[in-house]
Amino acid sequence: MFERPESGERAILVRLGLGRPVTADELVEFDALARSAGAVPVESISGSRRVPDSRYFVGSGKAAEIRDRAVATDAELVLVDHALSPSQERNLERLIGRRVLDRTGLILDIFAQRARSAEGQLEVELAQLRHLSTRLVRGWTHLERQKGGIGLRGPGETQLETDRRLLGRRIRTLSERLEKLARQRETGRAVRKRVPVPAVALVGYTNAGKSTLFRALTGSAAYVADQLFATLDPTVRRVRLPHTPELVIADTVGFVRDLPHELVAAFRSTLLEARDADLLLHVVDAADPERELRVAQVDTVLAEIGADAIPQLRIYNKIDRLERPPGITRDAAGKLTAVWLSAATGAGLPLLQAGLQEIFGRLATRFEIALGPAQGRLRARLHELGLVRAEQPAGSGGWQIRVETPREQLEQLCREAGVDFGHDVAPCLPEEGFVESPPEAAISAA
């Protein structure tokens, strides 16, 4: 029986075109995936078939070629850019004499290296165990049968059955812990909904620059790297822009071609931030020659998680690589549809901020509130949320405060503080003595 090695980084990459030739872009992306996992590609083998081979996926001739090249290059690992069945993976390992990993297993390995939060690590482990549970047989072929004879009778189950039972128990434990974390996260969302705060989620193909843009918008020290799946865990920050209500911006995991469905299901905590958003900032690598194909692939995943109906603003990032000036694009009705910028250099970032003001500014309305001296807690809360636009003292130690916020948010805050919204709050009218906010930034079409 083939004993699977414990480690190995020298890898042969295998990509098969089904019904068509393999494109250079597919080979480049798979090479980047392999390097992101820490592999050192030593050779790339491609081919085409009308349909996958039931035994080896790639066919017996191509499998023999892979075996010969693995020996010649001293490769320790074979990475296949397709989802393999357990039997296909096992048959390839037996023939080639090397460890074989399919696309799903490779992406899971990258996710295991990148997950930082407790929830992300649990989600990765759960996805790995579910993937492994269908492949246990390949590692225990020498223990598939119970031994017989005097002194050789086992405890009543094979090693394979024992492992499956232990895996099932661990999967249940992880599922329960994730359900608890999901309830806690949902509680946080419910709190945000009590005082409505518009939510914006960054989505896009992996390595499009989402985390760099997130840092530029929020000032957060988010992890940034020129690699696939640099960000896995959801990161959420609050942002305050002039003439808009306070916004919540979330950075999410990057999408990729043929993202396995079990991974989409596993990273629900990250993807829920996109599904529950009021606006998606779809970040696109403007310098990618296949950018429109990437956009279509991201839209496919968004449809899978039920986020395809959420309004999108396209962000064409990395314009510094094109030597293109920043600008915006509008449709025939004058609606803002895209912003061209460089998150790394900051070029065009004011256009995006002005665009967010244009989109969300209509949600904010100005009100004037008369607060007495006993209502200082509400005054402090308004300042804490960044809603106050002007303030002046009133008689008897009170305040006249001008705020800019959605009506629903102000009503909720007044209700919690015991302030009569109908009596003490009025739509704001220009008056002397108030310092007005600066005028909205003008946006000109590119």
Side-chain angles (χ1 to χ4, degrees):
M1 187 198 75
F2 165 61
E3 293 292 340
R4 306 179 74 234
E6 294 297 324
S7 62
E9 295 182 344
R10 292 174 57 83
I12 287 181
L13 309 185
V14 179
R15 171 74 190 175
L16 201 65
L18 298 177
R20 59 172 178 80
V22 176
T23 66
D25 180 66
E26 291 171 337
L27 295 176
V28 169
E29 182 184 272
F30 191 46
D31 183 272
L33 273 176
R35 294 182 187 277
S36 294
V40 180
V42 294
E43 187 160 343
S44 181
I45 297 176
S46 60
S48 61
R49 287 182 62 90
R50 188 171 61 84
V51 294
D53 179 67
S54 60
R55 186 176 185 185
Y56 294 119
F57 188 88
V58 296
S60 57
K62 184 64 69 174
E65 178 188 345
I66 297 170
R67 178 194 58 199
D68 295 341
R69 297 310 302 158
V71 172
T73 59
D74 197 26
E76 304 154 303
L77 177 66
V78 174
L79 300 176
V80 182
D81 193 17
H82 303 273
L84 301 178
S85 69
S87 62
Q88 288 169 339
E89 201 167 314
R90 182 172 68 252
N91 292 336
L92 281 172
E93 285 192 339
R94 285 174 174 170
L95 177 67
I96 299 171
R98 302 290 191 277
R99 189 158 52 101
V100 174
L101 201 62
D102 69 354
R103 181 181 178 87
T104 301
L106 176 63
I107 295 178
L108 278 170
D109 186 89
I110 298 172
F111 279 24
Q113 296 178 46
R114 305 283 163 76
R116 294 292 179 266
S117 70
E119 187 173 10
Q121 291 170 353
L122 289 175
E123 287 172 329
V124 170
E125 184 181 355
L126 180 60
Q128 285 179 315
L129 291 180
R130 285 174 171 165
H131 184 66
L132 177 63
S133 65
T134 64
R135 286 160 164 74
L136 275 179
V137 65
R138 71 177 182 187
W140 297 105
T141 52
H142 60 301
L143 295 173
E144 285 178 347
R145 298 180 181 275
Q146 297 182 40
K147 295 180 180 180
I150 297 174
L152 296 176
R153 293 183 177 90
E157 64 181 352
T158 65
Q159 180 66 53
L160 178 61
E161 290 168 337
T162 300
D163 278 10
R164 281 179 174 160
R165 177 169 50 80
L166 294 175
L167 268 181
R169 183 183 302 169
R170 179 62 177 165
I171 287 173
R172 286 193 299 274
T173 299
L174 291 176
S175 299
E176 291 170 358
R177 292 174 65 182
L178 283 170
E179 285 296 329
K180 182 178 179 181
L181 287 172
R183 288 194 297 269
Q184 293 173 349
R185 187 177 290 276
E186 190 58 38
T187 299
R189 287 194 184 93
V191 170
R192 293 208 302 262
K193 289 177 181 177
R194 283 208 308 269
V195 179
V197 179
V200 177
L202 300 178
V203 298
Y205 209 78
T206 183
N207 208 30
K210 295 183 301 301
S211 295
T212 304
L213 181 59
F214 182 80
R215 288 180 61 168
L217 281 173
T218 66
S220 170
Y223 177 68
V224 173
D226 185 16
Q227 56 187 204
L228 304 187
F229 300 117
T231 301
L232 291 183
D233 302 309
T235 308
V236 181
R237 295 290 183 272
R238 289 178 179 261
V239 174
R240 179 73 208 185
L241 298 175
H243 299 280
T244 65
E246 188 176 40
L247 304 178
V248 169
I249 298 183
D251 190 13
T252 67
V253 64
F255 300 153
V256 73
R257 170 181 54 83
D258 299 331
L259 186 65
H261 289 279
E262 54 264 44
L263 298 184
V264 174
F267 277 82
R268 58 183 179 179
S269 66
T270 300
L271 298 175
L272 278 176
E273 297 295 343
R275 196 188 69 187
D276 293 345
D278 298 293
L279 175 69
L280 299 179
L281 296 184
H282 186 160
V283 184
V284 181
D285 182 351
D288 187 346
E290 300 288 337
R291 69 189 187 200
E292 294 308 317
L293 177 60
R294 303 284 185 249
V295 167
Q297 290 161 345
V298 170
D299 287 339
T300 298
V301 179
L302 290 174
E304 289 180 11
I305 64 173
D308 52 324
I310 298 174
Q312 284 191 25
L313 177 61
R314 195 79 54 81
I315 309 297
Y316 288 101
N317 189 26
K318 305 185 183 181
I319 61 170
D320 50 305
R321 298 185 180 181
L322 298 177
E323 297 183 355
R324 184 192 191 282
I328 68 164
T329 303
R330 297 182 183 273
D331 61 15
K335 179 182 177 183
L336 183 64
T337 58
V339 178
W340 297 75
L341 55 77
S342 170
T345 66
L349 192 62
L351 290 177
L352 174 57
Q353 294 171 332
L356 292 174
Q357 293 170 22
E358 178 179 323
I359 293 170
F360 290 105
R362 56 185 170 79
L363 301 177
T365 305
R366 289 198 173 191
F367 296 94
E368 195 169 303
I369 311 175
L371 296 182
Q375 295 163 332
R377 179 172 297 182
L378 175 57
R379 173 177 175 266
R381 180 61 174 159
L382 294 172
H383 278 283
E384 179 187 350
L385 293 174
L387 306 180
V388 177
R389 294 292 168 267
E391 178 182 284
Q392 65 182 11
S396 304
W399 306 272
Q400 289 289 121
I401 300 178
R402 181 166 294 179
V403 298
E404 190 173 23
T405 178
R407 179 186 181 92
E408 295 80 4
Q409 181 177 17
L410 186 58
E411 285 183 343
Q412 177 67 31
L413 291 170
C414 289
R415 187 162 50 249
E416 292 175 352
V419 174
D420 187 346
F421 186 85
H423 181 267
D424 298 317
V425 180
C428 185
L429 298 174
E431 291 183 12
E432 296 294 332
F434 285 98
V435 179
E436 294 291 343
S437 301
E440 295 188 14
I443 311 177
S444 58

